[in-house]
Every structure is written in C-alpha cells, then in structure tokens.
Amino acid sequence: MFEAWNISELIILAVAILGGLVLALDDWRGMLLAWALMGMGGGVLLQQTMEVPRELVGVQILDSALLASLFYLVGRRAQTNIPRTLSARPVIHWRFRILAALFLYTIARMMVIRFPLPIASPPLLIVTYTLIGIGLLIATLSRSPLKAGLGVLTMLNGYQISYLAVQDSLLAIGLMAGMNLLVAFLIVALTLVRQEVSA
C-alpha cells in the first residue's frame, strides 16, 4: 500500500513542514509565505497522487496565491497604521508549537495506517489529517485575527484535499474557492476592526 509513494513522500513532508511553520512563526510575512506554499503543495500532491485535471489544481494553487496576496496587503496596511495589530504576544512558545506540529504529523500517519479510508489514497489522508490538526491548533492558540483566520483556512485546505480526490469537478472546486474567499473577507474585516479599536 505504501510502496508507490516515493515521489509523494517529499511533497507530504514539505506540506507538513510548511503547516508547522504557519503554526510556529510569529512574523506575519513569513507565516503568509509558508501558508501560500502549503496550499500550492497540497494542489501539487493532489495532481501527483490522484491525477486530478491540471486545470482544477491550477485553480487551487491560484486561490492560495491570491488569498495570500490579499492578506499581505491588509497586513501591510494594519502594520503601517497600528503595528501591534498583527504582533500580539503568542500564548505558547514556538518550541512547543513545533513539537505539537510534529506530534500531529505522527498521529496523522498512525491514523492512516490504523484506520485507512477508501475515499482517498494514504498520502492525501496524511496531509488532510495533518492540516486539519495544525489548523485547529493555529486557530485556538492565536490572538491575532489574521493568524487565527489562517488556521481556519488551513483546516479548510486539509478538507479540500481529500474532498477533491473524490469530487474533482469544476463546480466543487469553485464552491471551495468561494468558501475560502468568504473566510478571507471575514479575516480582513476582523483585522481592520481590530485596527480601528486599537487606534
């Protein structure tokens, strides 16, 4: 079952490491870059494993890049006006967050071996479980609206990877992109509201 995975293994590790960086980094620019690369890596893994049409994978990669660009513009504005809007002091030390990401990755691998699901291949399930766990941890540990919103989007990215392996239609990926856009607008609104309150 795990023999045909040699090509996908590096992508799985890269996506898991980028998710861990989103969790561990306190600098919002590095966090956004890691999140955008993580979303793109998930799209590449989807193409590599399930032979999903390249157009659909391209839409997912473009979606990650556009949302990261939107967050960057909002982050620049918030940092220029009120520097503390994006840099709330982290609740948990970054070393603990790195260990938590490694633990979640290990748990995801164990779950795939112990409870395999027929709906998706093992590499996609590992990435799905890892991103959902890391996203939940980011959302619960973050004080900044931008970082908490990225946690929610990370969970959605994990869910999308397994969902698109089953339903690879243009309508499905359009609905997922629309949901990501809605969450992104909520994140932008919360960041701007916090900026106004801090002023």
Side-chain angles (χ1 to χ4, degrees), residues 164-178:
L164 292 176
V166 181
Q167 183 69 21
D168 58 346
S169 68
L170 191 58
L171 178 62
I173 199 165
L175 289 173
M176 292 292 181

Side-chain angles (χ1 to χ4, degrees), residues 7 22 47 52 55 60 72 84 121 128-129 141 152 160 163 174 180 183 188-190 197 199:
I7 300 174
V22 176
Q47 165 68 30
V52 173
E55 295 80 14
Q60 181 171 356
Y72 179 78
R84 295 189 59 189
S121 64
T128 295
Y129 294 152
L141 293 180
V152 174
Q160 284 174 16
Y163 182 76
N180 284 347
V183 173
V188 168
L190 285 173
V197 170

Side-chain angles (χ1 to χ4, degrees), residues 88-138:
R89 187 174 179 176
V91 183
I92 305 292
H93 197 273
W94 66 269
R95 290 187 185 115
F96 172 78
R97 289 179 275 164
I98 288 285
L99 287 175
L102 290 173
F103 178 73
L104 288 170
Y105 174 71
T106 306
I107 291 292
R109 291 190 76 98
M110 290 171 58
M111 284 180 65
V112 169
I113 294 171
R114 183 85 176 174
F115 307 107
L117 295 176
I119 60 169
S121 64
L124 293 182
L125 288 175
I126 287 177
V127 171
T128 295
Y129 294 152
T130 303
L131 292 186
I132 289 175
I134 287 177
L136 183 62
L137 203 57
I138 293 169

Side-chain angles (χ1 to χ4, degrees), residues 35-36 38-40 59-69 157:
W35 182 83
M38 181 190 66
M40 294 176 189
V59 170
Q60 181 171 356
I61 291 173
L62 186 62
D63 183 47
S64 295
L66 287 175
L67 291 182
S69 302
N157 280 346

